[in-house]
Amino acid sequence: MHQPVSKAARMDEVIGLFATPFMRVPGALPAHLVRGLVEHFSALAKTDNNASAHLSHTTMLQPGDSPLLVEVASLVTPKLTDFGALIFGERLGWSVKEMWVNVLDTGGRQAMHNHANSFISAVIYLTATHAEARTVFMKSPGGHDFAFKNDHAGATSGPFSADKWISPPVEPGDLVLFPSYLMHAVPPNPGARRITMALNAIPTRLDSWGYRITFGG
Ligand SMILES: [Fe+2]
C-alpha cells in the first residue's frame, strides 16, 4: 500500500554547523552617556597606533577611572551574561577586564587583529560610522598548507563560502559583542572622525567536569 510522505520530510535541508555568535544591541548607551564619553575621551586618545597615523587610542581604562565608565560597565555587563550563555552554555558572572577608546580620523584604518587573554570583546560606537568604515570580521587567516579558492566575478559569496563579513550599519550608542578570538579590522575611513569604545571581558570561572579555572585579579 502506498504510504503518504509529508512534503516537509522530502525537502533538501542545509544545516549551518558550529555557528559563530555576533550580537547587536541597538541603543545600548543613552545619548547623554555617549556625549559625555566623546567629550571626555577624545582629548585623551594620544597613543598612536603603528598601523595608521590617523588612529589613536587611549591607554587602558578601568571602570573605576571615571563615573562614565562605571555607567558603561553596568549597562554592558547584563549583555555579557546573555552572550556568554551562548558560548559557554551557562549564565556566568562576567566582568569588563579593560576598556579603551579608539579615535579614527579621516583616512585612518585598523589592521586585522583579535584580542588575547579575553573571551568576549565588544565595540560601542560613539559617533556616526561611515558605511565604508564599518568593522569587518574575517575567518582566521591561519593555516600552513596550500589554499584553494574560487573567488572571481562569476562566483557569489554566502555564509559558507565568504571569508569576511561587513557588520551592519550602526548608530551612536550601539553595542556589538563577539568572541575575542574572531579576527576583525576597520577599512580606511573616508568619513569624519570615528570614535569607538572597545572592551574585553572575562567570566568569573569556567568548570569542565570539576576542572575549574578562575580569572581576574
Ligand atoms: Fe579590536
Side-chain angles (χ1 to χ4, degrees), residues 22-126:
F22 176 93
M23 183 172 164
R24 301 174 66 192
V25 184
L29 267 52
H32 78 268
L33 181 55
V34 171
R35 250 191 330 271
L37 290 164
V38 168
E39 283 169 17
H40 188 79
F41 292 110
S42 54
L44 297 179
K46 300 275 188 231
T47 309
D48 282 343
N49 179 281
N50 27 9
S52 169
H54 304 285
L55 171 64
S56 54
H57 313 283
T58 58
T59 54
M60 288 298 165
L61 308 163
Q62 301 298 325
D65 291 348
S66 158
L68 295 170
L69 296 183
V70 174
E71 201 175 341
V72 171
S74 73
L75 291 166
V76 168
T77 302
K79 306 300 177 186
L80 295 171
T81 301
D82 290 346
F83 189 83
L86 299 175
I87 56 177
F88 289 127
E90 184 181 359
R91 299 185 69 79
L92 299 164
W94 283 84
S95 58
V96 173
K97 186 161 63 81
E98 65 243 335
M99 41 207 332
W100 64 100
V101 171
N102 302 301
V103 178
L104 196 65
D105 282 321
T106 308
R109 67 187 185 87
Q110 171 70 278
M112 184 173 67
H113 65 284
N114 59 9
H115 297 199
N117 299 347
S118 170
F119 291 90
I120 300 175
S121 294
V123 177
I124 302 165
Y125 295 87
L126 300 179

Side-chain angles (χ1 to χ4, degrees), residues 24 31 92 101 135 157 160 200 203:
R24 301 174 66 192
L92 299 164
V101 171
T135 313
S157 80
F160 302 108
N200 287 328

